[in-house]
Amino acid sequence: MDKVCCCLEVDTHVIVTGVMSLYAHKKQQQHKMNYVPGTASLIDDIDKKHLVLLRDGRTLIGYLRSIDQFANLVFHQTVERIHVGKKFGDIPRGIFIVRGENVVLLGEIDMDKPCDTVLQQVSIEEILEEQRLQQQAKQETEKVKMQVLKDRGLSIPKADNLDEY
Amino acid sequence: MFRFQSLNEDCMLEEEDDGLIEDEDEIDQFNDDTFGAGAIDDDWQEEHKRLAELDERDELGAGLGFGGGGMGGDSDLSTSERPSSTRIPSSVVHPPPPSSLASLSFSSSSSRLPPSDVEDRVGEGDLAESLARLILDADPAIAGVGAAERPGLPPGSSGSGLSALRGLDQPRVLPQPSPILPPTQPHQHPQHQLPPGLPASGLPPSSMLSYQQQQHLLRRGTAPMGQMSSHSIWENSMGFGPVSVTPGLLTHMEDNPLMSIIKEVGHPKRAPQGRNDEDLSERAPPPRSSSPVIGSPPVRAVPIGTPPKQPMSHALNHQIHHPTAVHVRAPVQHRYPAPFPERLSPNTLLNIANSPLCRGPFPPRVGPVLSQIQRAQLLNSQVAGFPRGGPPPLLPGGGGFRPFFGGPPPPHGHRMGPPPPHGPPNHAPPLRHNTTHLHPQHRRMLTQRMQSRGGDRRPGMDRRSRDPYSNLMTQKEKEWVTKIQMMQLQSTDPYLDDYYYQNYYEKMEKRQEKEQDSSKKEHTTKLITPQVAKVEHTYRPVQFAGSLGKLTVSSVNNPRKMIDAVVTTRSDDEEKREKQVWNKRRQILYTVEKMYSLLLEVQDFEKCFVQAPEEDREALLEQHKSNTEQLCSSLREKEWDDRVSDEQCVMIMSVRKGKRLISRLLPFLPSMQAAAVVMAIARNLPALAKKDKQDQVLCWLVEPVSAVIQSLSSASLTDLLQELQGSEGQLATVLHNKFGVTLLYVILSEGERMQSSDPNCQLMDDNRWTELVFSVTRELLSVPSSSLSPPLFTPPNLLSLFSRYVDRQRLELLQDKLQ
């Protein structure tokens, strides 16, 4: 699995690498074989800490324990990380099973790499509050926009359900 | 009648039943023979009680006393954690005398059978019973595997369990990779509870007994012990690792005596309902009579795509290397059929094994999960290279069953490359099977690399080793996912399915060859996708010899055509004839059409000529001539033959349009040819008349023909008349036909005209004309008036003609006829 650039971590370390050539022999951190050389497979990512972004915008961090042919993922000791501005908060969630189609991107977290970010971790309540405020602000602007458009006789459909297209 | 018979039969049955019930002692024998192996006539309530007793015993003894009990250390034996296997190699060498039996295992066996039992029962039938019970208690493997092939150990091995157990050291007996389950390595403390299914797990009582003694006991036959409930058998013994089975005994599992005992004593009943859910995936579907090719695909209790619980590396190999068109069957778990009717998969056994261990907070259903974790922990511990402060509390039982259910020892690489616990961490784990695609050079490089990495594995490995939840996904499952991914890459025609990838790959290879001409040639790994051979499947409806028609069986594998459209062709001869006929007709029509077009041009010539300007007239004239020529030639049968072909004319005139054509054509023909045509007509008049029956258009020809006749010379006229009368009876036919009559009259009238007009007419020069006329008159007179068809017109001078030749009387008659 190619490691994805992700700068959102504080306590864990993220590696930033370029996309590895598919034909280069991968660096073996374990003595495990590259199961399907020449292609991308999640098998080599098992038992490693990952960050996954879901289609609904959630960010989950956890140890990838199991996969299947649909890239359904089983995460262990999962933590949902909410970002609002420069702050973030972790909500421990336990075990997650993510249906493969809902994954936007998935990247391994390199524990070794030192991480320096500007993000500030806050408590859960605080981050939830922040998120709520953010949502509220967003809704209000949206409302205003809709009103303005309505006054002009235009209507733009909401982008909620774009996924269904 | 029938009723009476049935009554009789009923009576018979009753008698038989009574007879059976009478002899208690012999029942089992009869049962065995009559009702098949394993049939037990028992009371379930008794069993239940026994079960309860056994349960209590087991709980107290923690089961392991079996293993420890065996060999002789009394004090040691009480600790349930020592495996018997450690004892066995060291202690008993010779078969212990029977007297020592009592002092041995039974004293400390968790089954709590008093040693006196054995003593007392030696020589009694009950000994066999208790022995059997112990056997079954201690080692479910026997019952579970029973007839399972015990690889390698010859039955002739020395009777002591030792040597056999030593034999267990050999990998073939322990197909399981040794690092996981090193039961026979004395220096290592085996885990607390070895997988119960281990071959090393033994039967302490049996290990006590000498081979011969065991045989003796077994052969004695046993009183019916009643059925041991499956619960007790499996539950108690499964977790008891050190229980060892005397390989001698093991090997004789295949022999009849023990088998019969087991059958008699009992076989595991169906697992209780609570376990059925988990067993579904392992349960084999009931045998179906449908073959995989013809019939419907077999019913799967578990849908295709469920991750396997069992090792299926061999299946994986097979799939990747030899993809077949046969559907994928359930993973091969039941390769070794259990001796009992019900099949207990290793997972079932595992579950049962785990359940007593997991008693307490965990319901039995948690078994498999725990087993995974156990396995993972075990792996971790071994991967880390050191025992983790004592064996993990719960050892995975799943691994233990591999020896029973995995045929060829799975390559060691199947595990996460676990080196043997005592092995150096630098030991290069063998390559996995799925890297067989790799170039051998590449493989060497990889192994080297892995070995070199053995050192720096430590820092990274530690973290992973500390992760208690790693390796939850087993190797098999990883392989399974990989297999699915590889299967998706299968293609019969890669250049069709994945053209761009193939080209890209080739480009890359070429580039790499150029760049890396040096030793680092096989640096890169290659993905070799499985190539599926293109198999041409032609549908052949299933047919059995001797059956009528085709089967109505239709399934996914052999869809049957709903409509069997069979092309039937007529016989060749008929076809040919019909074809010929049609061809000829077509040809005639074609000729007629061609001639018609020519004729029309010819007919229009004058008009065109008049209208055409001066300069074109010559051309027109030329064309006219050529047209005429063509017309004439078309009447000829052969190109070089100048004569008008009769056949051709007749052919043309067989068609209605053809007759019309001729009638229009005649004026344009040169006189010779016209005469010839008329001759032909006269000659073939009967045939023409016959063909004209439908059309009735011959009369169209009258005018042109008469015109032609009038231009005829006397000789030709005579000829014509002769032709008309040609064959016998032709005249009669002629007279029947209107046209014929008309023609005749025309001819005669013309003759008359000739005679009357020109006294020097040569008509009378020879007698032909006279004779012909005479014959005509004769015919006319003889023919009845009714059959004489009225002509189109009657030339007036006929009478005068006739008057010359016939007498008055006949003349009058003729006159009548002519009118």
Side-chain angles (χ1 to χ4, degrees):
Chain A
M1 184 73 186
D2 301 322
K3 298 185 176 131
V4 174
C5 172
C6 185
C7 310
L8 305 171
E9 300 314 305
V10 169
D11 56 342
T12 52
H13 312 292
V14 179
I15 194 171
V16 178
T17 57
V19 174
M20 291 174 13
S21 158
L22 286 177
Y23 291 93
H25 184 60
K26 287 180 57 175
K27 176 185 172 201
Q28 295 293 323
Q29 289 168 3
Q30 300 176 352
H31 53 275
K32 203 171 19 156
M33 280 309 305
N34 193 352
Y35 278 74
V36 203
T39 68
S41 170
L42 289 173
I43 294 251
D44 303 318
D45 289 335
I46 283 188
D47 294 335
K48 294 178 187 157
K49 195 161 188 180
H50 279 72
L51 180 143
V52 62
L53 178 67
L54 304 181
R55 270 170 39 178
D56 62 358
R58 273 186 281 183
T59 310
L60 300 178
I61 296 161
Y63 289 92
L64 181 63
R65 291 295 176 203
S66 185
I67 60 160
D68 72 349
Q69 68 265 35
F70 308 110
N72 295 334
L73 314 166
V74 174
F75 281 101
H76 182 228
Q77 293 167 357
T78 322
V79 152
E80 181 183 340
R81 185 157 289 182
I82 302 176
H83 293 272
V84 179
K86 288 245 173 85
K87 303 180 192 170
F88 74 91
D90 282 348
I91 307 172
R93 295 288 194 188
I95 298 177
F96 251 86
I97 296 178
V98 180
R99 189 179 166 95
E101 65 173 343
N102 294 306
V103 171
V104 172
L105 51 82
L106 166 75
E108 184 183 340
I109 293 171
D110 188 346
M111 312 291 277
D112 301 326
K113 175 157 177 147
C115 172
D116 28 70
T117 73
V118 296
L119 298 174
Q120 174 202 5
Q121 183 164 22
V122 297
S123 70
I124 296 176
E125 296 81 13
E126 198 179 325
I127 197 68
L128 285 171
E129 179 64 26
E130 292 272 346
Q131 192 183 44
R132 190 183 65 77
L133 292 171
Q134 189 191 47
Q135 282 294 103
Q136 214 172 23
K138 200 168 160 191
Q139 271 173 10
E140 271 167 33
T141 53
E142 188 70 27
K143 210 163 127 188
V144 167
K145 196 168 92 175
M146 292 298 286
Q147 187 62 41
V148 166
L149 285 171
K150 219 162 88 174
D151 291 340
R152 282 157 176 72
L154 302 166
S155 80
I156 295 176
K158 283 206 236 172
D160 294 356
N161 305 328
L162 279 178
D163 262 1
E164 268 65 32
Y165 270 83
Chain B
M1 280 283 287
F2 291 119
R3 265 189 231 156
F4 283 132
Q5 282 178 351
S6 61
L7 277 174
N8 286 337
E9 284 163 22
D10 288 339
C11 293
M12 291 288 289
L13 287 170
E14 283 170 0
E15 284 169 6
E16 274 182 89
D17 282 340
D18 290 338
L20 280 173
I21 295 171
E22 280 167 17
D23 291 336
E24 283 276 342
D25 298 332
E26 296 165 18
I27 275 184
D28 283 319
Q29 298 272 333
F30 287 151
N31 275 347
D32 228 350
D33 299 339
T34 314
F35 300 121
I40 304 289
D41 187 21
D42 240 340
D43 186 9
W44 65 270
Q45 282 166 333
E46 287 178 30
E47 283 171 49
H48 183 71
K49 280 186 207 160
R50 243 180 267 119
L51 242 187
E53 288 170 38
L54 284 168
D55 279 352
E56 289 169 15
R57 263 186 270 138
D58 290 337
E59 280 181 347
L60 293 170
L64 278 181
F66 274 130
M71 302 319 295
D74 295 339
S75 54
D76 292 351
L77 295 176
S78 54
T79 58
S80 53
E81 305 211 358
R82 301 286 179 87
S84 65
S85 55
T86 56
R87 298 283 172 261
I88 290 165
S90 54
S91 48
V92 177
V93 176
H94 302 290
S99 54
S100 64
L101 268 175
S103 57
L104 293 174
S105 65
F106 300 128
S107 59
S108 56
S109 88
S110 58
S111 63
R112 303 281 169 185
L113 286 177
S116 56
D117 279 353
V118 177
E119 268 181 331
D120 294 342
R121 285 168 196 166
V122 168
E124 293 179 10
D126 285 342
L127 173 62
E129 175 188 343
S130 59
L131 171 69
R133 190 187 292 148
L134 285 170
I135 291 169
L136 291 164
D137 279 353
D139 189 4
I142 297 179
V145 176
E149 300 155 22
R150 303 261 89 233
L153 288 175
S157 67
S158 74
S160 117
L162 288 180
S163 54
L165 279 174
R166 258 186 251 117
L168 289 177
D169 287 349
Q170 299 160 27
R172 58 205 171 116
V173 180
L174 264 186
Q176 181 140 35
S178 52
I180 305 296
L181 302 151
T184 55
Q185 289 175 4
H187 61 269
Q188 188 200 3
H189 257 288
Q191 272 66 11
H192 175 84
Q193 285 158 8
L194 284 172
L198 256 196
S201 61
L203 184 61
S206 61
S207 62
M208 295 334 108
L209 299 170
S210 69
Y211 169 81
Q212 290 86 359
Q213 272 181 325
Q214 291 165 15
Q215 285 297 302
H216 172 70
L217 288 167
L218 294 176
R219 284 210 188 91
R220 276 187 62 102
T222 57
M225 215 182 92
Q227 196 170 11
M228 298 276 291
S229 93
S230 57
H231 307 281
S232 59
I233 292 172
W234 306 131
E235 282 172 5
N236 302 334
S237 329
M238 293 307 284
F240 310 145
V243 173
S244 55
V245 169
T246 311
L249 185 62
L250 281 177
T251 57
H252 281 275
M253 282 183 219
E254 291 137 333
D255 290 1
N256 289 328
L258 182 55
M259 286 305 300
S260 61
I261 282 190
I262 292 170
K263 286 174 202 167
E264 287 175 3
V265 161
H267 56 277
K269 273 186 176 167
R270 287 194 187 277
Q273 210 52 34
R275 294 185 201 127
N276 278 350
D277 310 296
E278 352 174 297
D279 296 339
L280 263 178
S281 65
E282 312 306 331
R283 213 35 83 78
R288 283 178 69 96
S289 57
S290 61
S291 82
V293 174
I294 293 176
S296 314
V299 170
R300 292 182 66 95
V302 181
I304 296 171
T306 315
K309 286 190 193 175
Q310 285 305 305
M312 51 182 284
S313 52
H314 39 275
L316 173 63
N317 254 331
H318 190 73
Q319 282 287 322
I320 287 188
H321 293 296
H322 314 286
T324 57
V326 181
H327 56 257
V328 179
R329 300 203 74 113
V332 188
Q333 302 128 344
H334 307 281
R335 202 182 296 171
Y336 303 102
F340 309 100
E342 289 94 354
R343 292 182 238 196
L344 277 190
S345 67
N347 248 43
T348 319
L349 299 173
L350 163 66
N351 297 337
I352 299 161
N354 279 328
S355 48
L357 310 166
C358 311
R359 263 180 220 153
F362 302 106
R365 279 184 191 80
V366 184
V369 176
L370 286 173
S371 76
Q372 293 249 8
I373 292 182
Q374 297 157 23
R375 203 182 316 133
Q377 288 168 348
L378 179 63
L379 277 173
N380 290 338
S381 70
Q382 295 185 341
V383 159
F386 57 90
R388 304 186 56 233
L394 301 168
L395 253 170
F401 285 99
R402 208 160 285 120
F404 298 110
F405 294 92
H412 284 266
H414 277 182
R415 280 288 162 187
M416 283 267 306
H422 52 274
N426 282 339
H427 170 68
L431 290 176
R432 279 155 192 76
H433 64 93
N434 65 351
T435 59
T436 49
H437 310 303
L438 298 174
H439 195 277
Q441 217 176 349
H442 184 206
R443 203 179 302 174
R444 261 179 266 133
M445 304 250 349
L446 281 172
T447 41
Q448 285 168 20
R449 202 170 286 127
M450 284 194 289
Q451 279 171 344
S452 67
R453 286 235 179 82
D456 47 52
R457 231 188 292 144
R458 277 284 179 184
M461 286 307 293
D462 278 351
R463 195 183 301 141
R464 248 157 243 107
S465 68
R466 275 183 256 128
D467 185 1
Y469 293 97
S470 65
N471 302 321
L472 273 174
M473 195 174 183
T474 61
Q475 197 69 21
K476 314 302 155 232
E477 285 161 359
K478 289 179 189 168
E479 284 161 9
W480 173 78
V481 173
T482 315
K483 179 196 100 178
I484 289 177
Q485 290 178 331
M486 292 297 277
M487 266 174 64
Q488 288 166 354
L489 297 175
Q490 269 179 19
S491 121
T492 54
D493 188 1
Y495 278 93
L496 183 72
D497 296 332
D498 209 357
Y499 172 78
Y500 293 102
Y501 174 75
Q502 298 291 329
N503 279 15
Y504 175 66
Y505 191 77
E506 282 165 16
K507 266 193 244 173
M508 293 290 297
E509 281 193 300
K510 281 181 203 163
R511 206 201 306 165
Q512 274 165 13
E513 274 173 30
K514 285 182 205 166
E515 288 172 7
Q516 301 169 5
D517 266 331
S518 58
S519 62
K520 288 211 302 180
K521 207 166 192 184
E522 303 303 327
H523 178 70
T524 60
T525 60
K526 290 180 196 174
L527 174 68
I528 294 164
T529 58
Q531 300 275 328
V532 180
K534 241 182 193 164
V535 182
E536 290 287 332
H537 293 279
T538 54
Y539 170 67
R540 282 222 184 95
V542 179
Q543 279 178 350
F544 293 118
S547 70
L548 294 172
K550 295 181 177 136
L551 281 187
T552 53
V553 171
S554 165
S555 74
V556 162
N557 292 323
N558 64 321
R560 189 184 158 217
K561 293 195 288 193
M562 289 306 294
I563 298 172
D564 269 340
V566 183
V567 175
T568 54
T569 58
R570 283 171 294 173
S571 66
D572 280 349
D573 292 346
E574 285 177 21
E575 223 178 298
K576 272 182 199 164
R577 263 179 268 139
E578 279 189 35
K579 255 190 181 174
Q580 280 169 357
V581 166
W582 270 106
N583 282 350
K584 210 166 191 183
R585 196 174 169 79
R586 265 189 239 131
Q587 201 164 10
I588 293 167
L589 289 168
Y590 179 68
T591 315
V592 165
E593 285 302 316
K594 246 195 345 183
M595 285 175 71
Y596 235 106
S597 55
L598 287 170
L599 175 69
L600 287 170
E601 273 187 29
V602 166
Q603 279 181 332
D604 291 338
F605 165 73
E606 271 190 46
K607 230 193 292 179
C608 297
F609 195 80
V610 168
Q611 290 174 359
E614 285 279 341
E615 32 313 337
D616 295 340
R617 282 186 184 178
E618 264 191 55
L620 272 172
L621 208 62
E622 288 288 327
Q623 201 173 13
H624 179 67
K625 275 185 191 165
S626 68
N627 285 348
T628 327
E629 276 293 319
Q630 269 179 354
L631 275 171
C632 301
S633 63
S634 62
L635 282 171
R636 296 184 215 132
E637 193 179 332
K638 291 158 195 168
E639 294 282 327
W640 44 267
D641 193 359
D642 270 349
R643 290 172 292 138
V644 169
S645 147
D646 263 19
E647 284 175 36
Q648 194 77 347
C649 284
V650 170
M651 255 176 28
I652 290 170
M653 293 185 63
S654 61
V655 185
R656 181 197 177 99
K657 201 167 183 183
K659 289 172 211 154
R660 190 91 174 137
L661 170 73
I662 296 287
S663 70
R664 284 170 78 164
L665 180 62
L666 271 172
F668 293 97
L669 284 174
S671 56
M672 278 280 295
Q673 291 204 325
V677 169
V678 172
M679 288 283 206
I681 291 172
R683 213 175 298 135
N684 299 299
L685 196 65
L688 289 172
K690 203 170 148 193
K691 282 185 183 170
D692 194 47
K693 263 188 192 167
Q694 220 177 9
D695 299 329
Q696 302 290 329
V697 293
L698 262 178
C699 296
W700 288 344
L701 288 161
V702 169
E703 266 195 44
V705 165
S706 42
V708 170
I709 289 173
Q710 278 160 9
S711 62
L712 281 177
S713 64
S714 59
S716 35
L717 192 68
T718 318
D719 290 333
L720 186 61
L721 187 59
Q722 193 167 16
E723 292 286 349
L724 202 62
Q725 296 181 23
S727 52
E728 290 278 332
Q730 188 169 335
L731 199 56
T733 327
V734 166
L735 289 173
H736 282 306
N737 183 262
K738 194 171 192 173
F739 172 72
V741 169
T742 317
L743 184 62
L744 181 66
Y745 288 173
V746 164
I747 294 169
L748 290 170
S749 121
E750 178 60 27
E752 175 58 27
R753 193 190 61 77
M754 265 189 206
Q755 266 185 315
S756 56
S757 62
D758 186 5
N760 297 334
C761 162
Q762 290 160 354
L763 205 62
M764 309 301 286
D765 280 355
D766 53 11
N767 287 335
R768 274 198 305 153
W769 177 254
T770 319
E771 283 172 22
L772 287 167
V773 173
F774 269 131
S775 63
V776 165
T777 50
R778 246 180 281 129
E779 195 66 36
L780 273 171
L781 286 168
S782 59
V783 156
S785 312
S786 57
S787 62
L788 181 69
S789 72
L792 266 169
F793 63 90
T794 315
N797 53 355
L798 273 178
L799 273 172
S800 57
L801 173 74
F802 289 135
S803 63
R804 290 187 208 204
Y805 300 101
V806 295
D807 54 9
R808 197 173 205 94
Q809 197 182 18
R810 286 187 193 153
L811 194 65
E812 284 173 12
L813 285 167
L814 280 169
Q815 202 175 359
D816 295 333
K817 284 224 170 128
L818 284 170
Q819 281 150 5

